[in-house]
Amino acid sequence: MEKLREELLQANVGTVKENERMASHTTIKIGGPADLFVEPKNIDSLKKTMEIVRKYDVPWRAIGRGSNLLVLDEGIAGVVIKLGEGLDDLYIHDTEVTVGGGYSLIKLATVISKQGLSGLEFAGGIPGTVGGAVYMNAGAHGSDMSRIVKKAQILFEDGTIEWLTNEEMEFSYRTSVLQTKRKGICVAATLEMKKGNRDEIVAAMQKNKDYRRETQPWNYPCAGSIFRNPLPKYAGQLIERAGLKGYTIGGAKISEQHANFIVNAGGATAKDVLELIDYVKKTIYDLYGVSLQTEVEIVGRK
Ligand SMILES: Cc1cc2nc3c(=O)[nH]c(=O)nc-3n(C[C@H](O)[C@H](O)[C@H](O)COP(=O)(O)OP(=O)(O)OC[C@H]3O[C@@H](n4cnc5c(N)ncnc54)[C@H](O)[C@@H]3O)c2cc1C
């Protein structure tokens, strides 16, 4: 790891840190150290980072805002590559928007709605990056990324960069080809928006945001929905019906506002959250015969 770190530093790829606590890079504020943590300066630095990491044959993972991650207390083996500033270019050409993978989704939704472009009203309250949203096919309020992504630019492990079409991205409920078949980093996406009335678009997005403020725990660190909805049922409804709102293990608590959110109520560890997840799964299975699957991604050394 030391040689890899030195080579990354020599290549001047951007910020390179050793044993970086992931709690500082996840919205739930939990997570042990990553062996190496890199924030590339730009696309060339990202390509260089990938080239060097590949040479050393160590595990790697791209992250955005860490808003869908539960990093275990033992941390992450290998290299974490965080996309943010430096991979956040934005080009708007008529109804076509091309945006870097590190761009904030909330910021993008705000910027383009103000331009009278419709399609991202659902995303005004989803606190991730464009890359993370493409990987997850993030969605809300009856829409998701698959409705607007025309193509996504992916950097693969072997150093090749390809634009994948919407079909090639194989989007489905909270998933994409990047989760199922082809590991790569989404460095940019082209979105196809629709022209609309600026005031109506801004108002629709604000309505969605207000609804979230009322129904979701914005005042505590969290990682969004913990479980995928076992459609046509909703995980939150099942957990609420089971009387689990407010149930607490250590510092991890089922939100009083939304039963599908686990919040870090103070000093929670990943172990607390995992135990709470297991407790909820068992309770829901025993009561309703439904096996809940996690939507939050659990990563790190076991
Ligand atoms: C309060 C709150 C509300 C939320 N509401 C919603 C919601 O309504 N709908 C919804 O869908 N989600 C919601 N989320 C979850 C989360 O915001 C989304 O899943 C988001 O898309 C994750 O983006 P990220 O950049 O934070 O990804 P991260 O959490 O950093 O990473 C998530 C996964 O994506 C991968 N990844 C990240 N960036 C890239 C990239 N550039 N290329 C390839 N892979 C990448 C990571 O390896 C990881 O596997 C919510 C979260 C919070 C905290």
Side-chain angles (χ1 to χ4, degrees):
M1 217 39 86
E2 191 48 37
K3 279 183 87 178
L4 168 56
R5 189 181 80 98
E6 270 170 29
E7 196 166 337
L8 288 166
L9 284 171
Q10 261 168 21
N12 195 19
V13 293
T15 305
V16 179
K17 291 180 184 169
E18 228 175 339
N19 295 323
E20 174 73 353
R21 279 187 71 239
M22 293 304 295
S24 310
H25 303 282
T26 57
T27 53
I28 195 166
K29 304 283 173 233
I30 291 175
D35 289 343
L36 274 185
F37 176 88
V38 183
E39 274 178 288
K41 285 191 290 196
N42 50 41
I43 179 75
D44 289 335
S45 313
L46 175 63
K47 283 194 227 161
K48 189 74 197 167
T49 301
M50 190 66 117
E51 188 189 313
I52 296 171
V53 169
R54 195 174 66 244
K55 232 173 48 184
Y56 285 82
D57 195 24
V58 292
W60 61 271
R61 168 179 293 275
I63 67 161
R65 297 281 157 102
S67 61
N68 198 52
L69 288 181
L70 177 66
V71 177
L72 298 181
D73 300 317
E74 291 72 20
I76 300 182
V79 185
V80 169
I81 305 167
K82 179 168 174 165
L83 272 70
E85 279 172 30
L87 281 132
D88 64 348
D89 289 337
L90 173 65
Y91 305 96
I92 303 177
H93 180 69
D94 199 24
T95 54
E96 209 174 85
V97 174
T98 297
V99 59
Y103 203 96
S104 151
L105 195 63
I106 290 184
K107 186 172 157 198
L108 181 66
T110 308
V111 169
I112 65 173
S113 62
K114 284 184 182 158
Q115 306 249 347
L117 293 174
S118 173
L120 255 184
E121 292 88 327
F122 74 87
I126 302 182
T129 56
V130 167
V134 168
Y135 172 95
M136 284 301 296
N137 186 20
H141 310 288
S143 192
D144 59 28
M145 294 302 287
S146 74
R147 310 265 188 110
I148 49 170
V149 172
K150 188 173 173 187
K151 53 186 181 172
Q153 192 181 32
I154 313 296
L155 169 63
F156 291 104
E157 212 167 13
D158 64 2
T160 55
I161 291 202
E162 246 183 85
W163 279 98
L164 301 191
T165 62
N166 181 295
E167 294 71 38
E168 287 167 336
M169 284 302 296
E170 296 183 15
F171 290 117
S172 178
Y173 173 62
R174 300 293 171 271
T175 189
S176 69
V177 76
L178 300 180
Q179 289 185 41
T180 54
K181 290 186 198 154
R182 304 187 70 185
K183 187 177 179 194
I185 302 180
C186 174
V187 292
T190 296
L191 314 177
E192 186 62 61
M193 315 306 295
K194 287 198 174 70
K195 280 198 177 126
N197 178 289
R198 178 189 181 280
D199 294 343
E200 280 172 19
I201 295 167
V202 172
M205 199 172 68
Q206 194 54 46
K207 198 172 149 213
N208 290 339
K209 276 189 175 176
D210 292 345
Y211 176 76
R212 279 166 175 274
R213 286 216 166 266
E214 284 160 26
T215 56
Q216 293 181 3
W218 280 93
N219 45 347
Y220 283 107
C222 71
S225 296
I226 291 290
F227 298 104
R228 291 170 187 258
N229 285 320
L231 294 168
K233 295 191 173 76
Y234 287 89
Q237 283 174 2
L238 295 176
I239 301 167
E240 183 168 355
R241 247 205 288 157
L244 291 180
K245 269 188 165 179
Y247 192 87
T248 303
I249 294 183
K253 180 179 176 184
I254 306 280
S255 164
E256 304 274 5
Q257 274 156 297
H258 195 308
N260 198 16
F261 281 62
I262 289 179
V263 298
N264 180 351
T269 60
K271 185 168 170 280
D272 296 338
V273 179
L274 284 182
E275 282 179 18
L276 192 49
I277 287 174
D278 285 345
Y279 182 78
V280 172
K281 275 181 154 178
K282 184 173 181 329
T283 307
I284 297 305
Y285 187 78
D286 290 348
L287 285 175
Y288 310 115
V290 174
S291 298
L292 290 177
Q293 305 298 321
T294 45
E295 175 166 320
V296 68
E297 212 167 320
I298 300 167
V299 302
R301 294 183 180 93
K302 297 228 166 65

